[in-house]
Amino acid sequence: MGKYINRGNDGFKRYANGEYIDKTELIGYINSTISKPMMLTCVTRPRRFGKTAAAQMLYAYYDKSSDSRELFAPYKIAADPSFGQHLNKYPAIYLDVTDFTTRYEGRDDIVDIIQAAIIKDMKKVYPEVEVDDDADLMDTLLEINMATDEKFVMVIDEWDAICRENSPTPTPSRKGEGSIYIQDAKTRSGQTSNVTTPLPPAGGVGGGAFDKYVNFLRRMFKGGNTAKVFACVYMTGILPIKRYGTQSALNDFQEFSMANPRQLAGLFGFTEVEVKHLCEKYGMDYEDMKGWYDGYNFGAGLQSVFNPNSVIIACTSHVYDNYWGRTSAFETLQRYIDLDMNGVQERLEKLLRGERQEVKALRFGFDVSSIGSDDELLTLFIHLGYLSYNVEEETATVPNKEIRIEFVEALRGSKTHKKLSAMVKLSDRLMRATLDGDERLVAEIVGQIHDGDAGPDFYSNEQALRSVLKLGYISAIDKYISIQELPTGKGYADLVFIPRTGGYLPAVVVELKWNKTEHAAIDQIKERNYPDVLKRFTDNILLVGISYNEKTKEHTCRIEKNFV
């Protein structure tokens, strides 16, 4: 068994032995591309979205050193007409680029190391084929192809790891405030670029390794020998090809991204049907699961998709939590969210309120070394999984509670978005004051949020007051499940907060009144018995009435404890 060729099917067996959700229809699609103009496929998804499982699955299917018929027999692909035609018929190469970036961090010769490692493996498998000592990987594959008449299948996991860690590094320019000096192949003459540019992930070493990698990709997948050497190539990563300035080397690839997943939308992440099955199996509430981890809705004709990693952890642990934040993706969010751009703060504020934002994500050709507008930043967040994108409407939203927690945590520590950071901290104070029963302070903080968030034209009715309070309690999401207009059988409670961890925290029912007293709000909660619907969660409930007097411009608050 080799490291990069003849690896066997153990990688996929590991997934099949666990809680594997059948995504083998992807094999049918890749089969349809073999030895055709569309033979090059690139699928990009956020971290923990099943990319490696899919790569291991494809490798186990194509690798001719394996016998995987029995392994795939229980799955959908076994009924596909192409199943036997391509099953274990190809010499298959598997390359996990992160295996090299973690071992050889900071090395400009990392591409040479990758090629040498695969070539060494190839020579062991094909000792009879003579290959020149100075041959690169493409030369080696071509020699083997000519000697054996075999075409290869190549599977590349995290193809963009070198791009992420070695893309051109921007440094602040002294030539003008707000300018960024981009030190890459195109700007080494010293010119400045008036764009706001994010720092790349820690560990970058400049453009040397990046330039070599682009040349390597071009040599492998752009030349006239690509179709001769490969039956098909499958790559997966985080950001689409053009986001790194690599499109000239890889523009023959068919791309399926978060912004344009097309027919592969349901093959990465879990669909509603799949999650319902898991909830039944593990005794979990589907609606709670949906609120926490769903929200990647690609349009009316496409799938609604859940974060698969978080769903599995929630099912097996029986705990809903923010599992996204336990990856390195959170550091990436913090890095990019601190970009100082006009318009970003206002649009993030609206997104956190639950509003949609128009983003023409397919029209932006930026790469990660030159993000110059708020639209480009929001497009980046779509690809990273922090926003959901509706292809038909061209709008973005915060997909679910898990991601909203991520944004709140990132904004809490933001040094750039001071208004939003202050808003989150003010929200922290509002929830503490509410739980402490400090009516005066609650009214005072709601007034501050009103004055800072909405102008007089907007703040003119009870619906506007609800919008302000929704933003005001935004930081409560890390401890509470928040529900707007909860049906109670006798009406709708304006805002309800249910403790998601159980324990000591009370549930909170908030009723809002416009030009009526806070006591009237409390009376309505009691008369319509809103707390009754919360009995199954807790017997400790806070009743909160908040009112606004249009004439005096004052907020008032009443808080009572209610034990049901």
Side-chain angles (χ1 to χ4, degrees), residues 407-414 420-421 424-425 428 475-476 478:
F407 271 113
V408 168
E409 287 301 315
L411 289 168
R412 186 176 278 124
S414 175
L420 282 176
S421 179
V424 171
K425 293 172 182 176
D428 291 339
S475 72
D478 60 348

Side-chain angles (χ1 to χ4, degrees), residues 31-221:
N31 283 348
S32 73
T33 72
I34 288 177
S35 296
K36 295 179 181 178
M38 60 182 70
M39 58 177 277
L40 306 177
T41 302
C42 181
V43 174
T44 55
R45 291 292 186 274
R47 298 180 190 274
R48 305 295 181 88
F49 248 76
K51 300 189 299 296
T52 297
Q56 294 280 10
M57 174 191 71
L58 289 170
Y59 188 87
Y61 173 81
Y62 290 113
D63 174 32
K64 73 173 190 175
S65 73
S66 304
D67 181 358
S68 300
R69 183 173 295 274
E70 184 177 343
L71 176 61
F72 285 100
Y75 301 120
K76 295 175 183 177
I77 186 58
D80 191 289
S82 68
F83 177 61
Q85 182 182 355
H86 299 288
L87 176 66
N88 302 134
K89 297 291 176 64
Y90 298 90
I93 304 168
Y94 189 95
L95 171 62
D96 180 355
V97 181
T98 58
D99 185 44
F100 288 89
T101 56
T102 54
R103 283 190 291 161
Y104 302 104
E105 181 179 355
R107 294 277 294 267
D108 276 351
D109 60 345
I110 191 170
V111 175
D112 298 328
I113 295 171
I114 290 173
Q115 293 198 75
I118 299 176
I119 290 170
K120 181 179 179 181
D121 222 25
M122 302 297 290
K123 287 181 176 180
K124 290 180 180 178
V125 176
Y126 297 94
E128 73 282 2
V129 179
E130 292 186 9
V131 179
D132 293 340
D133 291 339
D134 60 349
D136 65 4
L137 180 56
M138 191 58 172
D139 283 333
T140 302
L141 296 177
L142 188 58
E143 289 288 354
I144 295 171
N145 168 263
M146 290 188 296
T148 65
D149 200 30
E150 288 186 318
K151 287 188 175 184
F152 292 88
V153 167
M154 190 166 189
V155 177
I156 304 177
D157 195 9
E158 301 288 358
W159 79 269
D160 56 343
I162 290 177
C163 302
R164 297 197 302 265
E165 299 184 15
N166 300 278
S167 55
T169 304
T171 56
S173 169
R174 296 181 180 178
K175 298 184 180 183
E177 185 177 355
S179 296
I180 298 294
Y181 177 72
I182 311 294
Q183 187 175 346
D184 64 11
K186 296 182 180 179
T187 58
R188 285 184 185 134
S189 58
Q191 70 265 35
T192 59
S193 173
N194 291 311
V195 295
T196 304
T197 310
L199 293 175
V205 296
F210 176 80
D211 292 341
K212 290 179 182 178
Y213 189 52
V214 171
N215 288 333
F216 167 72
L217 296 174
R218 184 179 292 113
R219 172 92 167 107
M220 294 288 290
F221 308 124

